[in-house]
Amino acid sequence: MLSSCVRLVPTTVRLVDSLICSSSRSFMDLKALLSSLNDFASLSFAESWDNVGLLVEPSPPHTVNTLFLTNDLTEEVMEEALQKKADLILSYHPPIFRPMKCITWKTWKERLVIRALENRIGIYSPHTAYDAAPQGVNNWLAKGLGACTSRPIHPSKAPSYPTEGTHRVEFNVNHTQDLDKVMSAVKGIVDVSVASFSTRIDDEEQTRISLNCTQKALMQVVAFLSQNKQLYQKTEILSLEKDNTIYKSVGSQL
């Protein structure tokens, strides 16, 4: 069973293994966090049969200091989330799939809902939205085949763009001391939204930056990256092209 906790901070999320770091000054409003999660991978990418998004919501207002990540939310994992004092559980697979006619102590899925509500814990599941998103699970699995060109078997028919921008730019910041400079620069560009998360390459922790931007803003982003090549590596540019309701991702590298 895979699970871990993350501590929410204003500009970056760092993964913590078997450890939770809490701070009264590090939190996000649930609605703001859900908006960020949707920017990262739009729920419109999910399959029509899937049950994704916020599945259990505590009464508002609800702030999230501790986000608990898991592949499958079982009763054992719920116990761990309670021990970590989680405020929101992100379960890759949805623990609630079919409609529930009642919420009692009879079945384990009903007990999950009861315990979540009793302890004011939200439950969110992205599932196939994360599979189909640009640079999502499917893309990650395809990379295991080596250098190749991949195309979707069934192109997404999302009703709207996953973001307001036309492009996504992703790159790794080499050193923590360079992160503030990079974040300040890209946030200063009009029509750019920024997300970041921790990653590990060759046993070295780095920060992965993901930008959604317009065509005009892309030129400014590329100009900044070209002038500061020492600050980053592993850059990818995704063009989110719209053809009626069909979405295509075209990747390139600097």
Side-chain angles (χ1 to χ4, degrees), residues 22 24 26 31 36 47 70 99 108 122 148 152 156 158 160 165 174 195 198 205 222 249 254:
S22 299
S24 60
S26 300
K31 290 184 179 179
S36 296
E47 294 294 324
T70 183
W108 69 272
C148 64
S156 172
S160 61
N174 299 332
S198 292
E205 185 172 319
V222 171
S249 294
L254 291 178

Side-chain angles (χ1 to χ4, degrees), residues 205-248:
E205 185 172 319
Q206 298 184 0
T207 300
R208 185 73 173 171
I209 306 295
S210 179
L211 313 176
N212 295 321
C213 59
T214 61
Q215 176 73 44
K216 182 178 179 180
L218 176 64
M219 298 298 101
Q220 298 179 61
V221 172
V222 171
F224 169 77
L225 295 176
S226 299
Q227 295 167 11
N228 297 273
K229 293 183 178 181
Q230 75 281 4
L231 301 180
Y232 69 92
Q233 60 177 312
K234 296 188 179 298
T235 303
E236 291 184 286
I237 299 177
L238 298 174
S239 175
L240 305 176
E241 300 177 356
K242 184 175 181 182
D243 180 10
N244 293 325
T245 57
I246 304 300
Y247 294 82
K248 298 174 284 187

Side-chain angles (χ1 to χ4, degrees), residues 43-56 71 89-100 109 113 123-131:
L43 294 178
S44 62
F45 280 137
E47 294 294 324
S48 59
W49 49 261
D50 207 357
N51 190 34
V52 297
L54 187 62
L55 306 183
V56 175
N71 194 54
I89 297 173
L90 192 155
S91 175
Y92 171 69
H93 291 119
I96 304 172
F97 198 80
R98 294 181 176 85
M100 292 182 173
K109 290 192 174 184
V113 174
I123 300 176
Y124 180 93
S125 176
H127 201 205
T128 51
Y130 275 19
D131 291 344

Side-chain angles (χ1 to χ4, degrees), residues 6-216:
V6 299
R7 169 180 153 236
L8 299 180
V9 295
T11 57
T12 185
V13 176
R14 299 191 180 281
L15 294 180
V16 181
D17 296 323
S18 302
L19 173 67
I20 186 61
C21 301
S22 299
S23 169
S24 60
R25 295 173 296 176
S26 300
F27 62 88
M28 287 184 70
D29 177 75
L30 177 60
K31 290 184 179 179
L33 178 55
L34 293 178
S35 178
S36 296
L37 290 173
N38 195 61
D39 284 342
F40 177 72
S42 173
L43 294 178
S44 62
F45 280 137
E47 294 294 324
S48 59
W49 49 261
D50 207 357
N51 190 34
V52 297
L54 187 62
L55 306 183
V56 175
E57 179 182 10
S59 57
H62 188 63
T63 56
V64 180
N65 181 66
T66 303
L67 172 60
F68 189 90
L69 310 179
T70 183
N71 194 54
D72 293 284
L73 180 56
T74 63
E75 289 189 279
E76 291 79 7
V77 174
M78 174 61 81
E79 285 294 336
E80 185 179 352
L82 291 172
Q83 292 174 12
K84 303 296 186 183
K85 301 185 183 304
D87 305 296
L88 179 66
I89 297 173
L90 192 155
S91 175
Y92 171 69
H93 291 119
I96 304 172
F97 198 80
R98 294 181 176 85
M100 292 182 173
K101 294 184 178 181
C102 58
I103 305 295
T104 69
W105 206 249
K106 185 176 181 180
T107 67
W108 69 272
K109 290 192 174 184
E110 292 174 46
R111 291 194 292 270
L112 285 179
V113 174
I114 293 172
R115 301 207 68 186
L117 291 174
E118 286 180 339
N119 292 276
R120 291 189 55 77
I121 301 175
I123 300 176
Y124 180 93
S125 176
H127 201 205
T128 51
Y130 275 19
D131 291 344
Q135 301 304 299
V137 176
N138 291 344
N139 183 271
W140 174 72
L141 290 172
K143 288 182 178 179
L145 301 174
C148 64
T149 299
S150 59
R151 296 183 180 278
I153 298 174
H154 300 290
S156 172
K157 295 185 178 180
S160 61
Y161 263 126
T163 70
E164 294 181 358
T166 58
H167 292 78
R168 175 171 293 178
V169 183
E170 295 189 351
F171 56 90
N172 289 359
V173 176
N174 299 332
H175 305 292
T176 303
Q177 60 267 29
D178 297 327
L179 183 59
D180 288 342
K181 178 180 179 180
V182 173
M183 293 295 286
S184 177
V186 295
K187 284 186 174 182
I189 301 174
V190 178
D191 294 328
V192 170
S193 61
V194 186
S196 63
F197 51 93
S198 292
T199 185
R200 185 172 292 275
I201 298 178
D202 297 328
D203 292 327
E204 180 183 356
E205 185 172 319
Q206 298 184 0
T207 300
R208 185 73 173 171
I209 306 295
S210 179
L211 313 176
N212 295 321
C213 59
T214 61
Q215 176 73 44
K216 182 178 179 180

